[in-house]
Amino acid sequence: MNTTPPKKRRKGNIDEDAGLQKPVRTAPTNTSLLPPCRVCQEPGAGFHYGVNTCEACKGFFRRSLVRKEDYKCLGNGNCNIHAGKRKICPKCRLEKCLAVGMSKEAIKTGRYTHAKRTQDILEAKKALSPMPDAVPKSTLQPESSSMSTTVLSGSLNQEFCAANEEQSSDHDLTRQPFSLLMTSSQHNLLENQGLVDESYFSASSISSTSSPVSHQPVANDTPRLSSQVSPSSFASPLSLESALGSNSEEYGEGELSRIIHDLIEVHEHNICPDTRFTPEEVLEEQKACYEACRLKEEMFGPMQRLSKEEYQEVFRSTGLDVDGRQMIFNDLVEVIDLSIRRYISFVKIIPGFSSLTLNDQIRLIKDNRFENALLGTYHAYNWDLKVATIRRGKTFSLNEMNSLSNETVGQRRFECANAIQKLGLSHEEMILFKAVVAVTSGAEDLDEPHKHAVVTSTPDKETQGRLTSDSMQPCDDASPGRQPALRVIDVTHGPGRRLLYKAGQLTSLLLFTVDSMGGSTTSV
DNA sequence: ATTCAAGGCCAG
DNA sequence: CTGGCCTTGAAT
Ligand SMILES: [Zn+2]
Ligand SMILES: [Zn+2]
């Protein structure tokens, strides 16, 4: 008679032991303190498959990994996945998941690291802060779409290839989408700072006395780092520590190594979690691309990608989205937005960056798009085949790149990439260099060029200035006359052709930069 | 000992 | 199929 109602209570069987030693059920990590779901915008539940997502999207993605057959789109192939409308279409939901970087390979286990937690807190904070404008989505407003979309679509196809990984491109056109994207929400990201520096990089409080306090036995952390960072070219593993200990009074020894460590960590976590594929995979794809291009040219002659003018022409006259550019636009915007957000997470770790004025911060970010993107992808430029893999599944030929904008753009990129490749930088070194670049600008009309050697002086000073975090000492010779060795800014400060690399200078600078970072107290 | 995320589980 | 909750096991 006892129908034995299935008490599945999988866990609630604690009836018997009144002894109970489990007082606190581990505070369920305040959900509000986590970044929102990157897929559907709903409150996040942690970091899943390499991305901050909600419980639902996590589950969905997991199911999708098992699933054999493909999903079918329930809309017209371009469903918008947003808060509240998660389930409208599994196909597009999955695509969005992938677009924001979810992947089986990106899974992380175990505890958060120092750096990661820092970001999360920051981001959660920004999310909590009251949105100035009632417009949440903000990224791009439909109302202005008729205009902006048209304008953007032109530059978009340029962006498209490279912008995916990090914002890149070289044209003035880029200003358009970028400034649009860079508005409200991301300003907020940049704003509320302080937090990081104080809670985790309390350089100000420690500053003068690198007191032997030794919060932790961090000392042994250093070797690990240096072994990664330094090839044979410079600084022996010990130099970092010793140099700092003896010569530097501005910061603790653990400080610098942790800063570097955090930079690398954040970068790994944010910037290119899925950009790393095995060389074999890349090569394979590049060969395929090469072959495809060759065949295409044989059959159709010189390749002619639908230019933006042509596209706009068609769009204007017929209103048709010929090749689906606008279709992918919305999603693309979100991907770009994400990459910017990630980049911001990265630069905020750089000591001192936060203390720049908001304007300068934005300037630096914007001005460094190209360099940044190149540093992120130079390794996958294949000089011999003249193809470059910008991102997983995105390989372009030199011709394609050229046809996207200026004739020389592609060529220049290849040259730069090649020059950097010759340096044989380790991945970690590249990251550090990226950080240096992030605070380096040739612009002279910044709010506080004086305050941070960063902006106008030579990179070497910046490197040290930045990495020592609190040493705001203006370069003794931060004279305006000296131009950054990194790049040559085209006289026309106009947005157009912005910068030209000089392979030679870039090379030596890189070497120097890396060196000074590893050894810290390098004399010029 | 804690802090997290992957997976399992199952009611809706 | 969804998504909330739990268990498991890894990383710190
Ligand atoms: Zn979600
Ligand atoms: Zn769909």
Side-chain angles (χ1 to χ4, degrees):
Chain A
M1 46 177 30
N2 221 329
T3 56
T4 69
K7 296 325 192 168
K8 253 32 198 21
R9 283 299 43 121
R10 110 182 56 288
K11 205 292 168 63
N13 53 349
I14 320 169
D15 318 323
E16 47 206 305
D17 62 337
L20 52 79
Q21 321 278 101
K22 42 182 63 185
V24 192
R25 186 138 266 287
T26 331
T29 323
N30 248 327
T31 63
S32 61
L33 289 182
L34 288 167
C37 177
R38 296 269 136 79
V39 177
C40 71
Q41 318 300 309
E42 278 178 39
F47 199 69
H48 305 289
Y49 299 95
V51 173
N52 285 101
T53 73
C54 62
E55 189 72 29
C57 289
K58 162 199 152 194
F60 172 78
F61 189 75
R62 186 171 54 74
R63 265 173 260 131
S64 82
L65 290 175
V66 175
R67 191 185 206 70
K68 178 76 196 289
E69 50 204 292
D70 289 344
Y71 290 112
K72 278 286 279 297
C73 176
L74 303 180
N76 51 2
N78 189 31
C79 315
N80 242 38
I81 310 297
H82 53 283
K85 298 286 175 175
R86 250 181 324 219
K87 332 189 227 205
I88 53 175
C89 169
K91 171 94 169 329
C92 296
R93 186 182 184 182
L94 178 56
E95 273 171 17
K96 178 95 180 268
C97 286
L98 295 169
V100 298
M102 289 181 84
S103 123
K104 179 86 170 160
E105 279 64 52
I107 62 175
K108 140 195 170 295
T109 59
R111 270 182 119 214
Y112 277 168
T113 62
H114 183 90
K116 166 72 179 148
R117 180 143 62 256
T118 300
Q119 304 172 73
D120 277 3
I121 292 174
L122 272 168
E123 184 163 344
K125 279 271 169 19
K126 77 116 208 275
L128 284 183
S129 81
M131 266 305 200
D133 34 351
V135 194
K137 288 292 77 117
S138 80
T139 359
L140 251 196
Q141 258 354 33
E143 45 230 38
S144 59
S145 67
S146 66
M147 201 281 279
S148 59
T149 307
T150 307
V151 175
L152 287 175
S153 61
S155 58
L156 192 57
N157 61 335
Q158 300 175 16
E159 293 289 73
F160 189 40
C161 54
N164 275 340
E165 9 103 332
E166 274 129 46
Q167 45 290 6
S168 85
S169 108
D170 7 52
H171 241 23
D172 49 346
L173 281 174
T174 319
R175 291 170 62 88
Q176 294 282 7
F178 201 87
S179 50
L180 282 175
L181 289 169
M182 192 70 192
T183 48
S184 50
S185 71
Q186 274 147 11
H187 278 218
N188 287 341
L189 259 187
L190 284 173
E191 274 160 356
N192 58 34
Q193 299 279 322
L195 245 146
V196 190
D197 287 338
E198 284 168 39
S199 50
Y200 288 113
F201 301 101
S202 48
S204 50
S205 58
I206 297 180
S207 66
S208 55
T209 54
S210 67
S211 61
V213 171
S214 73
H215 327 291
Q216 307 163 10
V218 199
N220 282 347
D221 238 27
T222 307
R224 171 164 52 118
L225 179 76
S226 4
S227 70
Q228 298 174 332
V229 166
S230 75
S232 49
S233 58
F234 59 85
S236 68
L238 292 178
S239 67
L240 175 70
E241 209 175 329
S242 51
L244 285 177
S246 57
N247 256 340
S248 169
E249 59 269 295
E250 295 118 333
Y251 48 86
E253 46 188 71
E255 209 88 20
L256 179 57
S257 70
R258 194 177 68 177
I259 288 169
I260 294 178
H261 184 267
D262 280 356
L263 277 172
I264 292 173
E265 177 129 352
V266 169
H267 186 281
E268 287 308 275
H269 221 82
N270 277 312
I271 312 273
C272 54
D274 63 317
T275 301
R276 311 190 73 174
F277 12 7
T278 69
E280 295 76 33
E281 290 173 315
V282 174
L283 192 56
E284 190 141 341
E285 184 170 325
Q286 291 181 337
K287 282 177 180 170
C289 177
Y290 173 72
E291 193 61 17
C293 290
R294 203 175 55 74
L295 285 177
K296 243 193 262 182
E297 280 190 46
E298 273 181 19
M299 296 172 67
F300 301 105
M303 302 213 338
Q304 289 295 334
R305 168 169 295 220
L306 188 55
S307 76
K308 62 173 184 283
E309 288 81 10
E310 289 167 327
Y311 173 85
Q312 283 177 329
E313 180 58 33
V314 176
F315 179 72
R316 249 193 292 273
S317 54
T318 70
L320 286 181
D321 184 18
V322 194
D323 52 7
R325 282 176 200 190
Q326 292 183 38
M327 281 290 223
I328 58 178
F329 181 69
N330 282 335
D331 281 343
L332 185 56
V333 164
E334 291 177 46
V335 173
I336 292 177
D337 177 83
L338 178 66
S339 70
I340 295 175
R341 197 176 340 186
R342 289 176 163 178
Y343 182 62
I344 290 176
S345 296
F346 175 68
V347 297
K348 285 205 295 195
I349 301 294
I350 302 172
F353 187 90
S354 309
S355 53
L356 292 167
T357 66
L358 192 56
N359 268 345
D360 284 359
Q361 291 184 32
I362 295 173
R363 277 292 297 278
L364 286 170
I365 292 176
K366 291 171 72 172
D367 289 351
N368 284 315
R369 273 167 296 157
F370 177 71
E371 295 85 331
N372 192 46
L374 191 64
L375 279 174
T377 54
Y378 75 92
H379 64 272
Y381 275 67
N382 188 317
W383 182 263
D384 297 322
L385 297 182
K386 286 293 185 295
V387 297
T389 302
I390 291 323
R391 197 190 187 201
R392 187 168 50 180
K394 302 263 181 222
T395 300
F396 297 90
S397 70
L398 171 59
N399 282 338
E400 283 175 306
M401 294 179 85
N402 276 336
S403 68
L404 285 180
S405 45
N406 281 337
E407 276 286 310
T408 59
V409 166
Q411 182 65 29
R412 209 190 306 153
R413 284 193 187 181
F414 272 85
E415 283 167 4
C416 294
N418 193 243
I420 302 177
Q421 281 175 7
K422 285 178 181 164
L423 300 178
L425 293 180
S426 73
H427 188 63
E428 288 74 17
E429 288 167 333
M430 182 278 291
I431 294 170
L432 295 184
F433 183 60
K434 225 173 181 178
V436 176
V437 168
V439 292
T440 303
S441 166
E444 293 162 6
D445 55 335
L446 292 152
D447 292 342
E448 315 171 299
H450 59 285
K451 178 173 175 183
H452 297 277
V454 171
V455 224
T456 47
S457 73
T458 56
D460 49 79
K461 287 296 186 177
E462 283 140 33
T463 302
Q464 297 184 8
R466 289 314 78 202
L467 288 180
T468 46
S469 76
D470 59 322
S471 71
M472 301 267 280
Q473 42 183 316
C475 305
D476 23 304
D477 65 337
S479 55
R482 296 174 65 169
Q483 68 177 134
L486 169 59
R487 58 198 172 189
V488 179
I489 307 284
D490 200 314
V491 273
T492 27
H493 48 276
R497 68 201 78 106
R498 301 174 38 249
L499 26 112
L500 303 166
Y501 279 85
K502 280 193 175 173
Q505 292 186 0
L506 181 57
T507 299
S508 56
L509 171 69
L510 270 168
L511 286 176
F512 171 78
T513 297
V514 169
D515 186 70
S516 70
M517 288 185 129
S520 109
T521 339
T522 307
S523 60
V524 188

